[in-house]
Amino acid sequence: MTERRKFDLVKKLGEFEIRKYHPCVMADVAVNSGYQNAGNIGFRPLATYISQNQIAMTAPVVLEEKSADSWVVSFVMPAEKKLADLPIPKNSKVSLRQAPEHYAAALSFSGHTSSNKVVEKEKALRNLLA
């Protein structure tokens, strides 16, 4: 089974959850593209990094919008990996960082993700939070 980013469930409120995510190490690639292509463009160098270094794949793959047509695609490193333990990426597009503990509201959904679906689910989550 694929390892998922560790979190503590703080509270379940109907359809969504408040989660406290544990600190972790992330491997990132900055991508200048629209949402539809950003994940595919960023995935390949990240997948190459973990496969070359025999690092297990984890979930989820994170896409974070920085500005219009600018995204950071990230893989969460396995929980036992520390920043100092990981090899320096050979590809200069891949960078490693320590992600701090943080709280987040989460609304789970499955299936193929599109920019329209993300906007729809974000709107639903914001309505539930309000």
Side-chain angles (χ1 to χ4, degrees), residues 7-11 13 15-21 102-109 121-122 124-130:
F7 67 87
D8 299 319
L9 178 61
V10 175
K11 193 168 192 173
L13 299 162
E15 299 175 54
F16 73 98
E17 299 175 342
I18 303 297
R19 298 175 178 176
K20 180 181 175 185
Y21 282 92
H102 71 278
Y103 289 88
L107 178 63
S108 296
F109 62 94
K121 295 298 181 179
E122 179 183 356
L125 180 58
R126 287 183 184 279
N127 287 337
L128 290 167
L129 287 168

Side-chain angles (χ1 to χ4, degrees), residues 60-124:
V61 175
V62 179
L63 272 79
E64 182 180 357
E65 186 175 24
K66 292 299 180 181
S67 63
D69 290 335
S70 178
W71 297 83
V72 174
V73 183
S74 305
F75 280 10
V76 176
M77 296 293 99
E80 76 277 1
K81 298 290 185 186
K82 304 298 177 226
L83 190 56
D85 301 334
L86 292 165
I88 296 170
K90 294 175 186 170
N91 184 334
S92 63
K93 293 180 182 179
V94 178
S95 61
L96 301 175
R97 68 179 163 96
Q98 180 67 47
E101 170 183 282
H102 71 278
Y103 289 88
L107 178 63
S108 296
F109 62 94
S110 60
H112 179 72
T113 303
S114 66
S115 56
N116 289 341
K117 189 171 188 178
V118 170
V119 168
E120 170 193 325
K121 295 298 181 179
E122 179 183 356
K123 184 178 178 183

